[in-house]
């Protein structure tokens, strides 16, 4: 059974930082995509950052320059370093992995930024 477990969410003050982690039993080395998405209350789930085959990294405009996605193949873990947080970053953050056999989501981790 595929498992993606996010951690690192919580409460942060505006201007602060958080680091999210997503550990999975899926081999991310061969994944077509590893990434982070977020969903704020009453809104759709949007892409935050992802890395696709070949190492191409894409960020949402709203987080460009503040967030950094990275991956650790040895530990099958994907990270999202979030700096200069604002109240607009408040959402549930989801990890996603896509490979030959399908796409998988984590259960989500809540990030709340107080202004």
């Amino acid at each position: 059974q595929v498992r993606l477990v996010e951690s690192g969410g919580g409460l942060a003050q505006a201007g602060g930082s958080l680091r999210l982690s997503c550990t999975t039993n899926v081999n991310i080395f061969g994944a077509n995509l590893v990434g982070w998405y977020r969903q704020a209350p009453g809104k759709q789930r949007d892409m935050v950052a992802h890395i696709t085959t070949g190492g191409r990294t894409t960020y949402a405009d709203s987080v460009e320059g503040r967030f950094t996605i990275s991956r650790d193949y040895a530990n099958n873990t994907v990270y999202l370093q979030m700096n200069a947080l604002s109240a607009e970053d408040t959402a549930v953050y989801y990890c996603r992995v896509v490979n030959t056999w399908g796409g998988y989501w984590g259960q989500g981790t809540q990030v709340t930024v107080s202004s």
Side-chain angles (χ1 to χ4, degrees):
Q1 183 177 0
V2 173
R3 295 178 64 230
L4 285 75
V5 180
E6 298 104 332
S7 61
L11 179 64
Q13 291 188 336
S17 299
L18 286 174
R19 188 194 197 201
L20 305 183
S21 300
C22 171
T23 301
T24 176
N25 58 359
V26 176
N27 184 355
I28 64 171
F29 181 79
N32 300 112
L33 179 149
V34 295
W36 290 92
Y37 293 70
R38 68 186 180 187
Q39 188 167 18
K43 296 187 177 180
Q44 67 181 19
R45 189 174 299 187
D46 291 326
M47 186 276 292
V48 175
H50 64 224
I51 305 174
T52 54
T53 304
R56 179 177 180 178
T57 303
T58 302
Y59 294 94
D61 290 343
S62 59
V63 308
E64 182 83 52
R66 300 187 298 122
F67 291 11
T68 303
I69 186 172
S70 60
R71 54 195 172 176
D72 178 350
Y73 291 136
N75 294 299
N76 265 347
T77 300
V78 184
Y79 300 99
L80 185 69
Q81 177 66 43
M82 306 186 295
N83 299 327
L85 287 163
S86 70
E88 288 69 35
D89 297 315
T90 294
V92 178
Y93 284 71
Y94 297 91
C95 177
R96 180 159 177 79
V97 175
V98 179
N99 62 17
T100 303
W101 295 275
Y104 310 99
W105 292 99
Q107 83 288 351
T109 185
Q110 176 70 46
V111 171
T112 302
V113 183
S114 62
S115 58

